[in-house]
Amino acid sequence: MTATSTPRTIRLRDDRPPLVAPAMSNAEDPHERLRLTSRWIEVDGTPTVPVTGELHFSRIPRRRWEEQLRLLVASGLTSVSTYVFWIHHERERGRVRFDGDLDVAAFLETAERVGIDVILRIGPWCHGEVRNGGHPDWVVTALGDRARTNDPEYLTLVRDWYGRIAEQVRPFCGPDRPIVGIQLENELHDQPDHIAALKVIAQESGLSAPLWTATGWGGAVLPAHDVFPLYSGYADGFWAGQGSTWDDSFRDHFRFTHVWDDPGVGGDFREEGTEIVVRPVDPEFPPSTCELGGGMATAYHRRPIARARDIAALANVKIGNGSAWQGFYMYAGGVNPEDGLQESLVTGYPNDLPRFDYDFQAAFGATGRPGPSLGVLRDHNAFLAAFGPRLADTFSSLPDDAPVDVHDLDSLRWAVRADGTSGFLFVNTHQPHEPLSGSTAVQFRIPFADGELVVPDRPIDIPSGVIGRWPLRIDVAGVRLEWATASVAGIVDGAVPTVVLRVHDGLGARLQLGAGSRALLRGIEVDAAAALDLAPGDVLVVDGALRVLVVDEERAERLWYLGADLVDSTDAVWRESGDLVVRAEREPTALVWSGEEFAPLALHTDAHPGTTRLTIEQLRPVRDAPARYGESMGRSAAPDDGQFEEVAGVWRVVLPEAQDRSRGELIELVVDWKGDVAQLRADGVVIGDRFWDGLAWRIDITEISPDADLTLHIAPIAAHSVIDLDASVRQRVDAAGSLGAVVRVEHIVSSRWTSAL
């Protein structure tokens, strides 16, 4: 390591627009708990950084709503966002359904009971990878291009539809109610008058909320004052064209910048060559997101894999950029409620999506079980819960030598978010597909108003792959954290609170405490005047007022912050009626932080969980796959029913005897398979499907009769198949020449394990 270096410098510049109180949530539709300013969102009178996660109630069985919402709260969300898809509720004109899994009022009642706010996205055009963007077929047939305009006939239909929604949700609107936001339309870029008209119709129908939002990306022109623009950011996207490389619009989200518009999302709906005018943030509203990729869907022609650290890096960069509100899409995946509701080339879309599957590789997958990004998002959300009130009234500053070219892989990417005297240093040396370089002999010079701060006290090497948020003169429980080369995560309440410090892989953790501090490390007093070298597992007690728990990246992603309880668990954990509840298929190994150490959490269940490897019987072999079944707009088309039957192999799955389902058991099939397209059929009827992306397929079969004749149908994939796959998956296909098989099927019964604390 180099002994000396020239510290990297930054000027702290508060370029924010003046602090004002918009009419929204203040003069109009005031709310008892939530209030908007031009710089932040206040919750219960305190500036904060809320976190929203997308969950589509009509894509999740009603029996799982409460558990799923409790898990959203347990993973750090403050609100849930959900579409009300018109086509889900009124496939035939005049036959409107709000029953069963479509009962939006029951969903809202459940959310209120659980204690999570709701953002209602009412369209009428939503997208969400739904047929016609959510417009029923009869609307498309009757109006064609007049839909999504101020055409009087269309507005009449919208007025009726909004009225139907209002009948269901009006009791949940108001100054003390759980609906805190309503989104109008989606990705409508050039019709501000139409969005304004939609808001008037919604209000006349009896809908109200302190926040009225609209998507602001793609150079959208929105009606002034009427809607709060929200932005997006994805690490990769299924919507890119066939054979395209990793687009610059994705690369852009892994550098620190103060440009919030995203010209990539929704690009598949724009004509080729359309110029996007990137617009600045409306100074009346703080920069905020509603769609940071918490995962990614697979289209037939393009199947990216959403890896956890890609999602973590993107989320961390957005906070470093100055985000005032983070919304993740999707946070909980699901399954379409009926066949024929998916986006497809047949209906004029540029993409074929699965008929049922909408797992989205989300933080919680289609069956409600933890997905790849859950651990990193819990860590991120815990930071915002603990330090959001400090972040809210800070400004983001970028170094003068910040990389301006998304193809610059060598310059160190960093930013500071501060209030002039304290804050956080954000570092990012991670991105997918094209790894960023590390940097050697690094120090940072931060010119705070009360004295310059150099971090760390000696030069360090920052390796590739670091996703950092380092404290700068932050006070916690009266203890000064002067700086650290490790990331602060959450704070655990208690007589002596615990702050969690996450050590980065390949980077030593040093912590400098404030002057005059006294500290015990592993029970032994240490010299707190000098920077301390810390390691995972260390517990530092400072001034008898604060514990610093040091964890590695792996443990950080297992932690659940549940008020005064910190739980280490790979299984899903939530709080319910004073108990901690864990869902698992075998005895969990959950640990709870005692304030001194992690101790086993005693859990019990009255159910009979377990995992069984099922017998599978091949009934028909796969046949040769063509290079393409068809194409549209240059993109490969999924096989139609006839084409699928010609090539698909068939396997019968033998289920075990009926399971008792009275104690909240969840019954899943986990299918390890390889091929192109898979279908699960019960008694000959398709009940689930999947496009292969190299990942296992989990299917909720809790409500399927054990006497059902279950068969798996697999269409093969070949080296000549024109499909964009993740590089690791493409290598498997090319090496084999052709793949089409069921490798293993497991029958998993998970149950609720409870512990009263």
Side-chain angles (χ1 to χ4, degrees):
M1 180 177 292
T2 305
T4 61
S5 70
T6 300
R8 296 163 189 259
T9 61
I10 194 170
R11 287 181 293 163
L12 301 183
R13 288 166 286 202
D14 189 354
D15 295 331
R16 295 175 297 173
L19 176 63
V20 299
M24 184 181 295
S25 83
N26 292 289
E28 300 173 1
D29 293 330
H31 197 272
E32 290 183 0
R33 290 182 292 104
L34 186 145
R35 174 180 172 268
L36 178 66
T37 78
S38 57
R39 293 183 178 178
W40 62 73
I41 295 172
E42 286 184 8
V43 178
D44 293 326
T46 301
T48 188
V49 181
V51 187
T52 302
E54 189 87 7
L55 174 159
H56 298 154
F57 71 92
S58 57
R59 282 172 157 156
I60 295 177
R62 181 172 179 161
R63 59 180 160 80
R64 286 198 352 239
W65 285 350
E66 180 168 343
E67 178 175 320
Q68 192 68 83
L69 289 170
R70 290 192 183 279
L71 283 169
L72 264 57
V73 172
S75 62
L77 296 192
T78 59
S79 57
V80 59
S81 176
T82 191
Y83 277 128
V84 185
F85 293 115
W86 194 352
I87 194 172
H88 285 189
H89 297 273
E90 193 177 6
R91 292 198 71 170
E92 298 178 33
R93 186 170 188 175
R95 298 186 62 183
V96 184
R97 292 184 52 199
F98 286 103
D99 60 327
D101 296 345
L102 302 177
D103 191 341
V104 64
F107 176 78
L108 292 168
E109 185 278 327
T110 305
E112 184 172 40
R113 176 159 34 85
V114 167
I116 188 168
D117 289 333
V118 179
I119 314 296
L120 212 59
R121 305 176 86 179
I122 63 174
W125 194 91
C126 301
H127 195 208
E129 288 66 71
V130 171
R131 180 185 180 95
N132 309 323
H135 280 161
D137 289 352
W138 55 268
V139 172
V140 177
T141 300
L143 295 173
D145 291 341
R146 291 184 292 143
R148 304 183 74 189
T149 72
N150 279 348
D151 178 87
E153 187 177 353
Y154 179 65
L155 294 184
T156 296
L157 296 180
V158 170
R159 185 171 283 104
D160 180 67
W161 171 234
Y162 278 5
R164 299 280 193 169
I165 295 175
E167 289 173 1
Q168 302 294 317
V169 311
R170 193 181 295 115
F172 301 94
C173 296
D176 61 347
R177 311 304 290 141
I179 294 179
V180 297
I182 295 175
Q183 178 182 305
L184 301 166
E185 249 285 343
N186 190 52
E187 295 178 353
L188 190 62
H189 305 113
D190 58 356
Q191 295 193 62
D193 291 346
H194 179 54
I195 292 177
L198 291 178
K199 181 175 179 180
V200 170
I201 294 171
Q203 290 175 319
E204 290 175 348
S205 299
L207 296 173
S208 67
L211 304 178
W212 290 84
T213 73
T215 53
W217 56 81
V221 181
L222 301 174
H225 316 299
D226 280 338
V227 289
F228 180 178
L230 300 180
Y231 297 96
S232 61
Y234 288 88
D236 207 337
F238 69 82
W239 51 81
Q242 187 92 58
S244 62
T245 58
W246 194 47
D247 191 78
D248 284 356
S249 65
F250 301 128
R251 291 183 178 91
D252 201 42
H253 299 302
F254 293 90
R255 67 185 184 117
F256 295 98
T257 174
H258 292 159
V259 176
W260 287 88
D261 201 348
D262 184 346
V265 179
D268 48 344
F269 288 99
R270 291 190 289 269
E271 293 184 11
E272 189 173 349
T274 301
E275 183 180 357
I276 302 301
V277 178
V278 175
R279 302 184 187 281
V281 174
D282 185 335
E284 189 175 5
F285 303 100
S288 301
T289 68
C290 62
E291 288 197 19
L292 294 182
M296 182 46 56
T298 54
Y300 181 77
H301 77 283
R302 194 165 196 270
R303 309 176 189 182
I305 292 179
R307 291 179 170 86
R309 290 187 64 79
D310 304 343
I311 292 164
L314 184 149
N316 194 58
V317 165
K318 294 298 180 182
I319 288 297
N321 292 348
S323 178
W325 177 15
Q326 289 204 290
F328 293 96
Y329 188 107
M330 296 288 293
Y331 208 89
V335 173
N336 291 332
E338 296 178 28
D339 202 355
L341 293 173
Q342 82 281 13
E343 172 182 308
S344 71
L345 293 170
V346 171
T347 59
Y349 276 114
N351 311 292
D352 270 334
L353 272 291
R355 290 157 65 174
F356 289 95
D357 182 74
Y358 202 66
D359 176 87
F360 215 88
Q361 303 171 60
F364 293 98
T367 67
R369 303 297 295 278
S373 62
L374 179 59
V376 296
L377 286 178
R378 283 202 317 275
D379 176 77
H380 178 79
N381 298 343
F383 166 69
L384 294 181
F387 297 99
R390 304 162 198 253
L391 277 169
D393 191 15
T394 60
F395 52 91
S396 171
S397 300
L398 309 180
D400 290 336
D401 61 350
V404 294
D405 185 345
V406 294
H407 299 280
D408 177 357
L409 306 181
D410 298 320
S411 298
L412 181 62
R413 303 182 180 194
W414 65 288
V416 170
R417 190 162 171 183
D419 60 7
T421 60
S422 66
F424 299 88
L425 191 154
F426 293 86
V427 176
N428 182 52
T429 62
H430 174 90
Q431 74 174 15
H433 306 303
E434 298 174 353
L436 301 175
S437 299
S439 295
T440 59
V442 176
Q443 283 181 296
F444 303 95
R445 177 178 287 124
I446 317 298
F448 284 133
D450 55 354
E452 183 178 85
L453 180 64
V454 176
V455 179
D457 57 330
R458 62 193 186 199
I460 60 171
D461 294 344
I462 298 179
S464 178
V466 171
I467 304 166
R469 46 177 190 260
W470 299 351
L472 304 173
R473 291 183 177 162
I474 294 295
D475 291 332
V476 182
V479 171
R480 169 67 60 90
L481 306 181
E482 189 73 5
W483 55 260
T485 60
S487 288
V488 282
I491 297 175
V492 186
D493 298 335
V496 177
T498 299
V499 63
V500 177
L501 201 61
R502 172 167 55 85
V503 177
H504 303 289
D505 293 341
L507 179 61
R510 285 175 68 79
L511 169 65
Q512 177 67 65
L513 298 171
S517 297
R518 299 187 62 185
L520 298 175
L521 178 59
R522 308 181 200 100
I524 300 172
E525 187 164 356
V526 293
D527 179 9
L532 302 172
D533 289 309
L534 301 174
D538 282 348
V539 180
L540 184 71
V541 181
V542 186
D543 297 337
L546 179 70
R547 288 188 179 90
V548 179
L549 170 64
V550 185
V551 301
D552 59 17
E553 303 264 16
E554 183 179 356
R555 170 161 265 178
E557 294 178 22
R558 297 198 308 263
L559 294 179
W560 298 74
Y561 295 80
L562 304 172
D565 294 314
L566 180 65
V567 179
D568 179 336
S569 173
T570 57
D571 297 303
V573 187
W574 68 96
R575 184 174 293 287
E576 186 176 330
S577 302
D579 296 342
L580 289 181
V581 184
V582 177
R583 176 166 293 283
E585 60 268 21
R586 35 81 192 119
E587 185 172 3
T589 55
L591 306 172
V592 64
W593 175 245
S594 68
E596 302 287 343
E597 61 182 358
F598 282 98
L601 181 64
L603 296 156
H604 71 277
T605 184
D606 295 326
H608 300 284
T611 300
T612 305
R613 182 167 181 173
L614 297 183
T615 299
I616 53 175
E617 174 189 0
Q618 187 167 9
L619 305 179
R620 188 175 75 197
V622 298
R623 297 178 175 87
D624 292 338
R628 270 181 163 169
Y629 296 98
E631 63 90 19
S632 178
M633 301 176 234
R635 304 177 185 213
S636 293
D640 62 27
D641 289 345
Q643 293 168 327
F644 183 81
E645 292 299 329
E646 285 182 8
V647 301
V650 182
W651 288 259
R652 173 171 286 117
V653 179
V654 182
L655 292 176
E657 295 182 1
Q659 301 283 331
D660 181 0
R661 309 175 193 192
S662 62
R663 299 178 179 87
E665 291 88 341
L666 172 66
I667 304 176
E668 300 168 279
L669 289 185
V670 178
V671 182
D672 182 3
W673 67 289
K674 49 192 176 183
D676 182 18
V677 180
Q679 293 181 355
L680 177 66
R681 301 182 186 179
D683 300 324
V685 178
V686 180
I687 60 172
D689 68 329
R690 182 90 165 191
F691 298 158
W692 189 61
D693 54 10
L695 305 176
W697 181 19
R698 300 185 80 105
I699 312 154
D700 183 349
I701 63 165
T702 306
E703 297 176 359
I704 301 298
S705 169
D707 298 325
D709 180 22
L710 283 189
T711 51
L712 282 165
H713 302 246
I714 309 292
I717 193 170
H720 61 249
S721 297
V722 184
I723 298 169
D724 295 351
L725 300 168
D726 183 82
S728 64
V729 181
R730 172 51 70 181
Q731 288 173 3
R732 293 174 60 184
V733 177
D734 290 346
S738 180
L739 293 172
V742 179
V743 178
R744 178 187 182 102
V745 180
E746 291 184 328
H747 182 269
I748 296 181
V749 180
S750 60
S751 65
R752 294 160 46 96
W753 300 73
T754 60
S755 175
L757 289 180

